[in-house]
Amino acid sequence: MIQEQHQARTVGGTPQAVGHASLRRTNLSLVLRHLREHGSTSRSDIAEATGLHRATVSNLMVELLDRRLVQEVGVDHAGAVGRPRRAVALHGAHIGALGLELNVDYIAVHGVDLGGNVLVDRRLGFDAAGSGPSRSLRELGLTAREAIEEMTRAGADPAGIGVAVPGLVDVDHGVVAFAPNLDWHDVPLAARLSSALGPLRVPVTVDNDANLAALAEYTSGVAAGTADMVYLTGEVGVGGGIIVDGRLLRGADGFSGEVGHLPVDPSGGRCGCGRFGCWETKVGLAALVRMATPGRAYGPGSGPVPDPEERVAEIARDLAAGDRQTLVAVAEAGRWLGLGGSILVNLFNPRVIVVGGYFATLADWMLPFAQAELERLVVAGPAARCRFVASDHGFGAASRGAANVVINQIVNDPTAIMRPTPQPSGT
Ligand SMILES: [Zn+2]
């Protein structure tokens, strides 16, 4: 019962009507955001906090109640003098947001409702790199369907699906322009996933995995709210989500953040992108596995693809047991992490570099080497005051970020949530 995903820009007719619709959408969003941030409160408190007239707030509230985005929650006594006031709160238990991540060796799913309750959260080992776009999208479609059914059974209809992929994404058209480690070129992921979902008709958006994970970190991670931060995915590929002055840096075509392909060693090995000596050939999970446990390296014919967490758990066990080859490999990867990090600090001067994926799992072993190398190489030296910090979002960070984006779309434009259809009477 959701959506007209695209905004009402073309509706309305006269410029005045369009202006009025847009103002109303902005005000609805303002009220919803206030409720999201402050919990249950009264209409007059909302009016005071937002600067809107009391009558305007009451009027907006009628529409938000009608769309079942808010609910009356009894009486607000907080600090009240005189008669108690009726309070309202975000409702949203029936509105869902589904985040998916398709990565080289897994699919992650994260489904939440508008109230922030997690309804689905899991990861499945899947050899996307070896499966090609068609099989991968079929699998992604099946996973999405299952998640939608689970969410619907829990009472929340997904209002949108966000998909994270490790590559260059044309966000406006939902097309994966190039994903080096999947070997995908110009795959219209949003359109194909939508058609795989058939009559479910949930709008699909697509974005780069590191960008989405960075947004999740900025919203609710270990360094949440840090205006200047870099997030690094520690997967087979390494991507960066760069937040500058509180905003995600996208660049002219949306292709920024491809830090895994910084050429750090001209005489180095071949990268998934076809070039040589890219940063991810030094610090990507495949590079570490190759150095630490060559017998279990990634590659064709290496059998069923284990979940990255299993691979990293093996490495952690070897480290704890003092295995020399593994200790040397992890220290080496840590130093390369610091070297690449120093380039990012020289460019963006972030306060923190949040590391996800396997970098976070092996943080105790890797980050001391990375931090020392960073401080040695950054031109500002200790004055740059940048720390590596391990994310606690795990390998599913990007799927969480993808769900977040859907939630933000709803909060930014509550009119995209359709009013429930009235029950037919007498037919
Ligand atoms: Zn590369």
Side-chain angles (χ1 to χ4, degrees), residues 395-414:
F395 279 92
S399 61
R400 182 192 292 249
N404 255 346
V405 166
V406 175
I407 296 280
N408 287 338
Q409 284 167 347
I410 299 167
V411 173
N412 290 339
D413 183 8

Side-chain angles (χ1 to χ4, degrees), residues 78-162:
V81 180
R83 73 189 171 92
R85 299 164 304 181
R86 281 184 307 155
V88 282
L90 209 58
H91 185 358
H94 62 106
I95 297 169
L98 177 59
L100 300 170
E101 177 188 5
L102 179 73
N103 215 308
V104 174
D105 43 5
Y106 65 86
I107 292 174
V109 188
H110 187 81
V112 292
D113 67 26
L114 187 57
N117 302 301
V118 177
L119 306 175
V120 188
D121 186 58
R122 63 171 165 265
R123 199 176 57 247
L124 328 150
F126 175 69
D127 180 14
S131 299
S134 292
R135 261 186 60 203
S136 297
L137 288 174
R138 210 162 40 239
E139 191 68 25
L140 194 67
L142 287 172
T143 309
R145 257 174 200 282
E146 278 173 16
I148 291 170
E149 280 166 19
E150 273 176 68
M151 291 172 73
T152 308
R153 274 200 301 276
D157 280 335
I161 299 176

Side-chain angles (χ1 to χ4, degrees), residues 172-248:
D172 289 343
H173 300 100
V175 173
V176 180
F178 177 41
N181 291 304
L182 299 175
D183 196 24
W184 285 17
H185 299 262
D186 297 319
V187 176
L189 194 155
R192 286 178 64 177
L193 183 58
S194 293
S195 78
L197 292 175
L200 290 172
R201 301 184 64 78
V202 185
V204 177
T205 53
V206 188
D207 205 337
N208 170 271
D209 60 343
N211 284 347
L212 291 168
L215 289 172
E217 286 298 337
Y218 185 66
T219 311
S220 67
V222 288
T226 305
D228 293 278
M229 80 157 79
V230 171
Y231 176 89
L232 297 176
T233 63
E235 321 271 346
V236 169
V238 175
I242 296 156
I243 293 188
V244 175
D245 202 13
R247 303 184 75 91
L248 184 70

